Amino acid sequence: TKDLGPAPKSFVIEPSVSRAVERAIAASAPEEVILATGSLFLVGEIKKAILDQKLRIPTEDKREITVRD
């Protein structure tokens, strides 16, 4: 086994996929990367929300959002 370091001090369970991505964006700096992994259903829901522009991303946040297959 590989040591992954200490466990996070806190975490949040967010039932809404779109809201979880919005929270991840809000909690990260613009130069940081947010990586979404999981089932095809989960990733597909995130991709659809991005492509349909249904995520609420602050207008002052100028980060590039990339969707890759």
Side-chain angles (χ1 to χ4, degrees):
T1 64
K2 184 176 181 181
D3 182 14
L4 300 177
K9 294 181 181 179
S10 67
F11 62 92
V12 176
I13 296 173
E14 177 59 62
S16 165
V17 173
S18 293
R19 182 72 181 120
V21 173
E22 291 168 355
R23 290 180 75 157
I25 291 169
S28 64
E31 66 274 6
E32 294 179 311
V33 173
I34 299 168
L35 175 65
T37 65
S39 68
L40 291 176
F41 175 79
L42 173 75
V43 175
E45 189 171 340
I46 294 169
K47 182 178 178 179
K48 183 170 177 17
I50 291 170
L51 294 177
D52 292 348
Q53 298 181 345
K54 292 187 177 178
L55 292 176
R56 291 172 293 193
I57 300 172
T59 55
E60 67 274 5
D61 191 330
K62 304 294 184 203
R63 81 179 75 208
E64 178 181 338
I65 298 177
T66 304
V67 177
R68 294 187 178 152
D69 289 329

